[in-house]
Amino acid sequence: MMDRRIFLLGLPAVLAACTTSASLPVGADGKPLQRLYRIRASQTGAVQFRLLDGVNALRRAQGAPALTLNSELNAAAATHARDMALQNRPWHFGSDGSSPIDRVARVGYQGTLIGETISETFETELETLGAWMENPDTRRVVLDPRARDLGFSWFQEETGKIWWTMVLGTPAADLTQA
């Protein structure tokens, strides 16, 4: 009877030793290495709405009105994200010298540009939003109470690097009421 108890008590340890654990690879600092975040074309809407939900949650906490996704501003953001990748630098000027104001006008947006945030990273859209919130300049753009429209897009290189662009604006109708 005693041998049976010892066997049963030791069985979990033996089984645990036989299983393989799926541990994450770690870097020199002991932290898990970042996994490649790959975005498929079919995920465009989900990624855009996840970012929009995150932005609106932050704005709600600050008493700012919610934003809506705007297709024209999405187009301006997509154009600039691809252009930054071609230039291989994150900045607010297009390879043709265009500014964010020029880009929103080119896509036919009738409102006023509030601001543009950009990033060059391997991080997800929500991690990027978190980084934007840590910087006072980009935080101001995200939380600007005048904004009503949001455009968001990216360009992902084969290496996995993502060039993010978010554009905020206010429709022309809102400007006449102010």
Side-chain angles (χ1 to χ4, degrees):
M1 186 75 147
M2 180 76 110
D3 290 337
R4 186 176 214 194
R5 282 188 210 154
I6 293 172
F7 174 75
L8 291 175
L9 289 173
L11 185 59
V14 171
L15 291 175
C18 293
T19 62
T20 60
S21 64
S23 62
L24 297 173
V26 295
D29 60 0
K31 294 181 182 178
L33 294 174
Q34 191 170 8
R35 294 178 53 198
L36 180 62
Y37 181 60
R38 181 69 64 186
I39 306 170
R40 294 185 307 275
S42 63
Q43 297 172 302
T44 298
V47 170
Q48 287 175 322
F49 281 106
R50 205 166 26 245
L51 183 278
L52 178 66
D53 288 345
V55 167
N56 281 336
L58 293 166
R59 290 174 63 83
R60 196 170 29 257
Q62 296 296 314
L67 304 177
T68 58
L69 208 54
N70 179 281
S71 60
E72 293 163 335
L73 295 181
N74 283 343
T79 298
H80 191 55
R82 179 177 291 277
D83 193 36
M84 285 190 301
L86 292 172
Q87 295 182 69
N88 197 32
R89 63 177 168 180
W91 72 328
H92 294 283
F93 296 98
S95 55
D96 61 355
S98 62
S99 71
I101 294 169
D102 299 327
R103 289 188 292 277
V104 299
R106 284 180 188 165
V107 296
Y109 185 69
Q110 296 298 306
T112 299
L113 174 74
I114 296 298
E116 177 182 76
T117 60
I118 58 173
S119 183
E120 166 197 17
T121 184
F122 287 89
E123 295 179 328
T124 69
E125 64 280 0
L126 295 180
E127 290 169 319
T128 301
L129 176 58
W132 286 335
M133 292 303 290
E134 290 176 10
N135 178 300
D137 294 331
T138 52
R139 179 183 178 86
R140 250 187 311 281
V141 172
V142 172
L143 299 177
D144 192 312
R146 298 172 297 163
R148 297 294 184 276
D149 293 330
L150 178 141
F152 181 65
S153 195
W154 59 90
F155 179 79
Q156 187 164 32
E157 296 179 359
E158 286 298 315
T159 63
K161 183 194 295 185
I162 306 170
W163 300 83
W164 299 105
T165 303
M166 182 174 69
V167 182
L168 276 64
T170 298
D174 284 2
L175 295 174
T176 59
Q177 296 171 5

